[in-house]
Amino acid sequence: AVAIRLDDVARSFALPGGGTFAAVRGVTLEVRAGEIVGLVGRSGAGKSTLLRLMNLLERPDRGSVTVDGAELTRLGKRELRNARRRIGMIFQQFNLLQNATVFENVAFPLRIHDAMNAPRLKARVEECLALVGLADRAASYPAQLSGGQKQRVAIARALASQPAVLLCDEPTSALDPETTRELLETLRDINRQLGVTIVIVSHELQVLGTLCDRVAVIEHGIVAEEFSLDDHSAPR
Ligand code: ADP
Ligand code: ADP
């Protein structure tokens, strides 16, 4: 099954001095369900824009975006909001609520979108925290956590809505190498255990080599090259 399909997607930005800059210039890309795909390339190549096109955080100027069976580019506001719940996203800087506990950070999307009773909500939050190895930190605040733990909270929050797809924008760039390795293992476990499809933007070759089934090289807003990686589950 196909989890994500971009069909001739393009996106330009207006330049301050007039004119436009074409950040993504016609990308056709398919990600299969359960796959882990990396987007690599130089800074400014268009990787982050491409990732944000996958949940319509950026609207394409042309082309279509289909995720988990829904053609996002044809949906109205309300339908899009529902479809987006199947797409989790995590960021380099974690984007946690600083004044909320770990529990409340993970519960946040559920409180907004789901009419879930308190025991079910608690069970779901605890399940997601357990998935990322933070079952014992529910009462902590983000400031009390390490960078790796903060990113795990962000992953748990993304998983709370049971997404089919997890979009990761430089998720390890703020982490040291050891913490990076642990986080990649967590992402791999989530992919294996839950079947969540993962797309990850990174400029770190080691990250991509460890985690990805396939890599797309982005250059000047297009996919310059795509390649599959060898069985990365072999001992390193
Ligand atoms: P990458 O993730 O590969 O570093 P980006 O997708 O962030 O690349 O950016 C690609 C190009 O598009 C860059 O030149 C960037 O300045 C430009 N760009 C990205 N987002 C915007 C925006 N919101 N407004 C104007 N220019 C943007
Ligand atoms: P079901 O979907 O019927 O609950 P699964 O085997 O898919 O069965 O899921 C097993 C458990 O994992 C369930 O309790 C479910 O809530 C949880 N789960 C499944 N997918 C996700 C996900 N993407 N994120 C978080 N939890 C999930």
Side-chain angles (χ1 to χ4, degrees), residues 86 124 127-128 131 156 158-164 190 193-196:
R86 304 279 296 153
R124 172 71 68 76
E127 181 182 18
C128 291
L131 281 167
L159 293 180
S161 311
Q162 295 185 283
I190 282 159
Q193 284 180 36
L194 304 176
V196 177

Side-chain angles (χ1 to χ4, degrees), residues 11 13-14 21-23 41-50 58 169 201:
R11 169 70 188 190
F13 294 105
F21 177 82
R42 320 177 83 111
S43 177
K47 305 180 296 292
S48 183
T49 303
L50 195 55
E58 296 291 351
D169 197 351
V201 168

